[in-house]
Amino acid sequence: MKVEVDFWQVLPVALALVLVIEGLLPFISPQRWRQMVAAVAQLEDRLIRNVGLGSMLLGLALLYWVQ
């Protein structure tokens, strides 16, 4: 059975989940989060871009797998 899903209904839910997940670490451990942000600030742009690319590709793979 195929279920039709409206993109504009799912997008706000997905964004809300991202915000909840992103807010977990600063809420649970603000000191650890501050240390992590400081460490990331010291990384080279190339490495940060590669991590971002890897994250996007993993997200796309998960979306493909779920669908």
Side-chain angles (χ1 to χ4, degrees), residues 30-58:
Q31 181 63 32
R32 180 72 113 159
W33 181 80
R34 190 177 294 112
Q35 292 171 350
M36 182 183 65
V37 171
V40 170
Q42 302 299 318
L43 297 176
E44 296 179 16
D45 288 350
R46 180 184 53 80
L47 182 57
I48 295 171
R49 280 192 182 101
N50 287 339
V51 169
L53 176 63
S55 176
M56 289 186 298
L57 292 175
L58 179 61

Side-chain angles (χ1 to χ4, degrees), residues 9-23:
Q9 288 179 326
V10 174
L11 181 63
V13 173
L15 291 175
L17 285 173
V18 167
L19 292 173
V20 168
I21 292 168
E22 288 288 327

